[in-house]
Amino acid sequence: MMSNFNDFNNPQVKKLPEHLKQFIVEQNYEHYTPVDQAVWRFVMRQNYHFLKDIAYYPYIPGLEAAGLSIEKIPDLQEMNDALKKIGWGAVTVDGFIPPAAFMEYQSCRVLVIAADIRQLHHIEYTPAPDIIHESAGHAPIIADPDYHQYLSYFGSIGAKAMYSSKDFELYEAIRELSILKEMPDPDPQTLKRAEKRVLFCQKNLGDPSEMALLSRLHWWTVEYGLIGTLENPKIYGAGLLSSIGESKSCMDPSVKKHWYTADAVNFPFDITKPQPQLFVTPNFQNLTKVLEDFADTMAFRRGGSESILKAIECKNTCTAVYSSGLQISGVFSDLRMDKNNELLFIKTVGGSALSFEGKQLEGHGKQVHTMGFSSPVGRLKNFGKALEDANENELEKLGIICGNTAELNFIGGLSLKGIVSSILKRNSRIIMISFTDCTLKDEQGNVYFEPSWGVYDMAVGEKIVSVYSGAADKDAFEEIAPKARSATFHPEYTEHQKRYHDLFRQVRLCRETQNEFERLKDIWTELKQDFREDWLCAIEILEILEQRNIFSDMGRDIRIYLELKASNEPELNKLIQNGFYLISKTHKESAL
């Protein structure tokens, strides 16, 4: 967690709950090298020229509304100043963060942006999240009211999604692989092992969890979504908008286009390959409708035994909500059902907490319930309504009076005997009754609680109406979401690399100050002599020469050098040709 939390004077960032702050890292703008700035500019100029006609939103106004420019990597403060005008904020994080945390940021209307930028050798595509994908892909469309409404609503649904322990193993594996692939020279054996681990996790997920299914809806909309008609769709998905290659190839008829419906949840995705099909929504309101239909199938809306079983499989903190409003947060370990699968009893292990309306009840944190929490669910025998709705007279008839020994027999077969020590109400409903000298057992005589264990706090509620991931009061629970073990790679630069960076700095200075163009001759000589692997700095010099119509002999020399490089190194051919195209477009525009 950041020691001095910077809220960028942005209301959305300011309101972030404590448990989300652990993922925030400093942007450290000064760490971006001149090469990083050149990578940003090259990709963004491509984006503008190639995408302005196929992107859904007006590209430049979209960038400006998010505090972005084509010329330089965005500064987080500038982004926050712009985004707060539309009720959003932005923070930087270290690569992939857990899906549940990512969703919660989205629900708080805060964009999560990977602080790092792709290396030059991954300029076209990076397997790791980077500032180009996150800010240039997601941020420019944020100004659309229907879209940002969908994004924050998706986050609020996703933050409650149940995930399995296997989901987290897959997240860890993908994060580790993406970090390795972003390294300049990863060990081939380590890379192979990491790839195998991702494949193994993908193949052994079992039935997809709510989070896995929601991730598909997120992928086919927020990352790879199209909008409009099947014949002539426009791109709004950030994954497409930050990959020039795929944004062009996705329009090919070989990539099937389907209308976006709830059926999209049946299409898994592979982050390492181009997508074989994409989904088109007629409008953004349709996205919310599909999401709403899916949310109706989720545990936080359904409750009951099926949802508690999902919580047990999660193996992480979840919350079950009784019909009385009482919330139980902890790691669920057991349940009891009748022959109709109706819940009779639930149990957690380890530190557990009780809350109401998202606020932890005093004296009921996990420091008190250190060994877990368990309680019956359901109605009492011979009592015509739910216990939470009983009035004072009815409680007296049932013998539930403070200081009195009460015997409660549940329809499911559990029976409780103990001295009533307190009755807790909220909003005129009973949510908990505490007992001393208490025994809870079933019809077979199995003991669930005995007097020597201390005070028994019995949750009151006819049903479990909702179950969701995470704690009810996350900050009081001091919930630390599962955090990745792997840290992203940050290169140490050699003196040779630093010299290369400095050449980019000098070229930028010439371009921005519009003078000292003679200096470009020395830079070009140095590039030819000591940096034969370069192509991007040469492109930047050529751009200035052709735009200013100066040093035509040197310009010809650079063109020949780049054309030779493109033919000798096929992996650079497309990038260099794109560079030539950008120069010609810029040249024409400046001549107009």
Side-chain angles (χ1 to χ4, degrees):
M1 197 180 294
M2 298 175 77
S3 50
N4 296 311
F5 175 60
N6 181 1
D7 62 26
F8 302 100
N9 197 27
N10 181 296
Q12 301 307 124
V13 177
K14 208 172 280 191
K15 284 189 291 195
L16 279 174
E18 285 299 316
H19 64 275
L20 287 181
K21 293 177 187 173
Q22 63 175 310
F23 299 104
I24 298 172
V25 297
E26 292 282 2
Q27 185 184 19
N28 291 322
Y29 196 90
E30 68 283 359
H31 289 182
Y32 297 123
T33 68
V35 176
D36 293 335
Q37 295 286 0
V39 165
W40 170 274
R41 183 173 180 268
F42 184 80
V43 174
M44 292 300 289
R45 287 173 74 234
Q46 281 193 97
N47 281 359
Y48 172 63
H49 286 291
F50 288 119
L51 299 177
K52 60 181 168 42
D53 298 324
I54 54 172
Y56 169 69
Y57 54 86
Y59 202 80
I60 297 296
L63 290 177
E64 286 170 353
L68 303 172
S69 91
I70 283 175
E71 287 299 315
K72 68 180 183 69
I73 295 170
D75 173 75
L76 211 54
Q77 184 61 62
E78 289 169 13
M79 281 192 76
N80 274 291
D81 290 345
L83 287 169
K84 76 176 173 186
K85 293 173 189 165
I86 50 174
W88 279 73
V91 294
T92 38
V93 297
D94 183 31
F96 279 115
I97 64 170
F102 181 86
M103 292 292 182
E104 206 177 341
Y105 273 108
Q106 217 166 276
S107 71
C108 296
R109 296 185 171 229
V110 172
L111 277 179
V112 174
I113 294 170
D116 294 335
I117 186 164
R118 63 195 65 180
Q119 300 290 300
L120 179 53
H121 62 279
H122 279 150
I123 192 165
E124 280 200 287
Y125 170 77
T126 171
D130 81 328
I131 196 162
I132 293 177
H133 169 81
E134 306 288 345
S135 56
H138 289 291
I141 196 171
I142 276 280
D144 186 292
D146 288 331
Y147 182 74
H148 74 62
Q149 193 63 41
Y150 167 69
L151 210 56
S152 62
Y153 188 53
F154 199 112
S156 65
I157 303 288
K160 288 185 161 66
M162 307 294 289
Y163 58 92
S164 71
S165 49
K166 288 179 178 176
D167 286 338
F168 193 73
E169 286 167 23
L170 175 60
Y171 151 71
E172 231 331 325
I174 288 172
R175 180 182 160 92
E176 187 184 350
L177 177 61
S178 74
I179 291 166
L180 279 169
K181 282 192 166 182
E182 189 59 14
M183 287 182 174
D185 193 21
D187 172 55
Q189 289 304 109
T190 309
L191 195 58
K192 197 171 273 186
R193 275 197 303 272
E195 284 170 341
K196 274 187 176 171
R197 188 179 165 214
V198 169
L199 280 173
F200 177 82
C201 289
Q202 282 175 332
K203 284 177 182 168
N204 292 278
L205 271 179
D207 290 336
S209 66
E210 288 178 357
M211 184 60 89
L213 293 173
L214 261 181
S215 295
R216 293 176 188 178
L217 294 186
H218 200 267
W219 185 262
W220 298 126
T221 60
V222 175
E223 294 296 349
Y224 278 79
L226 301 174
I227 186 168
T229 63
L230 292 181
E231 300 72 33
N232 186 29
K234 300 282 190 190
I235 297 172
Y236 71 89
L240 289 173
L241 290 171
S242 59
S243 165
I244 296 300
E246 202 164 358
S247 64
K248 289 170 84 176
S249 64
C250 80
M251 292 303 175
D252 195 274
S254 64
V255 179
K256 294 187 183 71
K257 313 294 188 299
H258 305 290
W259 283 116
Y260 180 68
T261 66
D263 189 47
V265 85
N266 299 315
F267 288 78
F269 58 87
D270 182 342
I271 67 164
T272 64
K273 294 177 183 162
Q275 311 311 310
Q277 76 283 307
L278 294 171
F279 295 86
V280 184
T281 186
N283 51 51
F284 288 139
Q285 292 95 320
N286 179 55
L287 303 184
T288 302
K289 182 187 174 299
V290 170
L291 177 61
E292 191 62 30
D293 290 346
F294 181 78
D296 285 340
T297 70
M298 291 172 64
F300 85 97
R301 286 193 181 167
R302 291 173 75 94
S305 52
E306 176 195 356
S307 300
I308 293 291
L309 286 167
K310 285 182 181 178
I312 293 169
E313 161 57 18
C314 181
K315 297 186 175 70
N316 274 291
T317 303
C318 292
T319 296
V321 186
Y322 276 83
S323 46
S324 63
L326 183 68
Q327 298 159 317
I328 316 298
S329 299
V331 177
F332 284 81
S333 59
D334 204 359
L335 81 171
R336 189 180 148 135
M337 300 181 282
D338 66 15
K339 59 181 184 297
N340 298 317
N341 293 332
E342 289 295 322
L343 261 180
L344 306 175
F345 178 81
I346 58 171
K347 183 175 189 297
T348 66
V349 289
S352 302
L354 314 184
S355 305
F356 185 80
E357 293 181 347
K359 287 286 168 216
Q360 190 170 290
L361 297 171
E362 199 174 333
H364 290 286
K366 60 184 182 181
Q367 299 79 6
V368 174
H369 300 284
T370 54
M371 306 296 286
F373 183 86
S374 65
S375 195
V377 181
R379 289 191 175 201
L380 297 173
K381 290 177 182 174
N382 307 318
F383 187 62
K385 63 180 181 181
L387 180 56
E388 62 251 49
D389 295 324
N391 59 35
E392 293 299 325
N393 290 337
E394 289 164 334
L395 285 176
E396 280 188 33
K397 283 179 187 171
L398 289 166
I400 302 173
I401 304 161
C402 285
N404 194 52
T405 297
E407 288 192 39
L408 306 179
N409 296 301
F410 289 84
I411 288 173
L414 291 174
S415 59
L416 178 147
K417 184 178 181 182
I419 300 165
V420 179
S421 58
S422 67
I423 300 166
L424 187 62
K425 290 185 179 182
R426 287 288 185 276
N427 298 347
S428 306
R429 305 183 94 197
I430 302 160
I431 63 168
M432 187 165 59
I433 303 172
S434 298
F435 300 88
T436 55
D437 196 22
C438 178
T439 303
L440 176 67
K441 56 187 179 182
D442 62 20
E443 290 159 317
Q444 287 76 42
N446 297 310
V447 175
Y448 293 77
F449 197 89
E450 57 183 48
S452 62
W453 297 356
V455 173
Y456 184 60
D457 297 309
M458 185 189 83
V460 174
E462 181 185 6
K463 289 187 168 90
I464 295 295
V465 293
S466 177
V467 183
Y468 55 84
S469 178
D473 184 343
K474 289 185 170 71
D475 290 334
F477 200 83
E478 293 175 336
E479 181 174 61
I480 302 298
K483 201 173 177 185
R485 294 187 298 274
S486 44
T488 53
F489 171 75
H490 293 109
E492 290 285 322
Y493 296 110
T494 62
E495 287 307 311
H496 182 73
Q497 287 169 318
K498 286 176 185 172
R499 268 178 62 212
Y500 183 53
H501 295 173
D502 194 55
L503 296 182
F504 276 91
R505 183 190 63 76
Q506 292 180 59
V507 171
R508 178 174 279 263
L509 203 60
C510 288
R511 186 176 62 245
E512 289 179 349
T513 60
Q514 295 286 300
N515 60 31
E516 292 195 39
F517 296 120
E518 282 288 333
R519 181 79 193 95
L520 295 172
K521 292 178 180 175
D522 296 334
I523 297 168
W524 171 232
T525 303
E526 197 171 343
L527 276 174
K528 278 192 299 185
Q529 283 176 354
D530 297 335
F531 301 97
R532 298 293 294 180
E533 73 284 359
D534 172 73
W535 61 272
L536 182 55
C537 195
I539 288 273
E540 290 210 334
I541 295 171
L542 185 62
E543 178 198 337
I544 295 170
L545 301 187
E546 297 206 354
Q547 202 173 6
R548 305 289 303 179
N549 210 8
I550 55 174
F551 312 144
S552 54
D553 288 349
M554 186 167 107
R556 249 191 322 275
D557 193 12
I558 293 174
R559 265 197 184 268
I560 292 165
Y561 165 83
L562 287 168
E563 280 163 0
L564 273 171
K565 188 172 267 295
S567 61
N568 293 334
E569 299 174 50
E571 71 278 9
L572 294 180
N573 181 50
K574 190 168 153 232
L575 288 165
I576 290 170
Q577 296 308 327
N578 283 353
F580 288 157
Y581 173 79
L582 292 176
I583 290 169
S584 69
K585 291 292 284 186
T586 312
H587 197 45
K588 277 179 198 161
E589 284 166 8
S590 61
L592 291 175

